[in-house]
Amino acid sequence: MDHDRLMTALEHDRVSSEASSPRISFDDYLSLSEITFEWGDSYDAKDWRRLRAILAPTLMSRGQVDYTEINGHIWEAMSREEFVSIMSHVGLVGDPLVHTQHHIGASKWQKISEEEAVGYHQLRAAHQRYTGPDRRQVENKGHGYAMIKHFYRRIDGEWKLGGLRPTIRWNEFEAERIFRGFEPISPR
């Protein structure tokens, strides 16, 4: 294929892709990117106030909480407080002996409507369990490589995280031995 025909074909693909998936605005990109950063960093810092601040009052509908690939649970709707309670639980990210780093790689955005957007984020979640609070000896490591789908909703003019669904690509080391047990609120 000659250069001009190739460029025409590529332009057609680009235009077709844009027509089928509306783009978010630059201002929305900045707001949604900040929420995504705050999501990961609030887990890592165990800063539940920051996590609470970025969440919609209810995580629901299109924005469900789907952890079927993590612990087999899916919630069609849950309150912000229930979600923070689950994440901050000592059997999960709230364990003081577990340290994490949720690193977001490339992101792709989809505008659903003026009030809803979806973010697809490459994720590497590093986890280390220590034997004691002095963090001198590592008991276990478990790192996850995933794509996480975030559902965002605009509420009173402000974007909030309205749900999430991680898709695990693969785990490294003993990821299943990081968390010591967690009995979540029953899925609805």
Side-chain angles (χ1 to χ4, degrees), residues 2 17-18 24 46-47 54 57-58 60-61 64 66 81-82 87 92 105 128 131-132 147 149 170 172 178 185 187:
D2 68 22
S17 174
E18 288 176 6
I24 60 172
K46 300 182 189 311
D47 187 337
I54 64 162
T58 303
M60 60 180 281
S61 66
Q64 65 197 0
D66 184 346
E81 294 308 318
E82 287 174 306
M87 291 297 115
L92 205 55
Q128 277 192 174
T131 58
M147 187 282 296
K149 187 175 184 179
W170 59 287
E172 179 177 42
I178 295 297
I185 298 165

Side-chain angles (χ1 to χ4, degrees), residues 63-99:
Q64 65 197 0
V65 176
D66 184 346
Y67 268 55
T68 52
E69 291 196 24
I70 306 293
N71 61 18
H73 295 286
I74 184 170
W75 295 266
E76 293 299 325
M78 86 169 26
S79 74
R80 166 188 321 164
E81 294 308 318
E82 287 174 306
F83 185 78
V84 171
S85 176
I86 288 171
M87 291 297 115
S88 64
H89 189 277
V90 72
L92 205 55
V93 184
D95 188 330
L97 299 180
V98 173
H99 288 257

Side-chain angles (χ1 to χ4, degrees), residues 51-158:
L51 178 60
R52 188 176 289 107
I54 64 162
L55 297 174
T58 303
L59 289 78
M60 60 180 281
S61 66
R62 188 189 319 256
Q64 65 197 0
V65 176
D66 184 346
Y67 268 55
T68 52
E69 291 196 24
I70 306 293
N71 61 18
H73 295 286
I74 184 170
W75 295 266
E76 293 299 325
M78 86 169 26
S79 74
R80 166 188 321 164
E81 294 308 318
E82 287 174 306
F83 185 78
V84 171
S85 176
I86 288 171
M87 291 297 115
S88 64
H89 189 277
V90 72
L92 205 55
V93 184
D95 188 330
L97 299 180
V98 173
H99 288 257
T100 62
Q101 201 257 339
H102 291 75
H103 179 76
I104 302 295
S107 296
K108 178 176 142 180
W109 306 94
Q110 181 182 16
K111 181 178 180 178
I112 304 300
S113 70
E114 291 302 316
E115 307 302 319
E116 292 183 295
V118 177
Y120 302 85
H121 311 289
Q122 294 173 328
L123 174 66
R124 180 182 188 267
H127 303 81
Q128 277 192 174
R129 168 173 283 287
Y130 291 91
T131 58
D134 63 0
R135 294 184 292 195
R136 290 181 186 224
Q137 184 177 355
V138 174
E139 182 179 322
N140 285 310
K141 290 190 243 179
H143 308 322
Y145 299 84
M147 187 282 296
I148 190 156
K149 187 175 184 179
H150 278 174
F151 301 89
Y152 304 92
R153 293 191 339 219
R154 193 185 320 255
I155 299 171
D156 297 328
E158 185 178 359

Side-chain angles (χ1 to χ4, degrees), residues 150-180:
H150 278 174
F151 301 89
Y152 304 92
R153 293 191 339 219
R154 193 185 320 255
I155 299 171
D156 297 328
E158 185 178 359
W159 285 107
K160 297 288 184 177
L161 182 62
L164 60 160
R165 180 185 315 142
T167 300
I168 305 300
R169 302 296 189 215
W170 59 287
N171 287 316
E172 179 177 42
F173 303 113
E174 297 179 289
E176 69 281 357
R177 296 185 61 198
I178 295 297
F179 300 114
R180 291 297 164 104

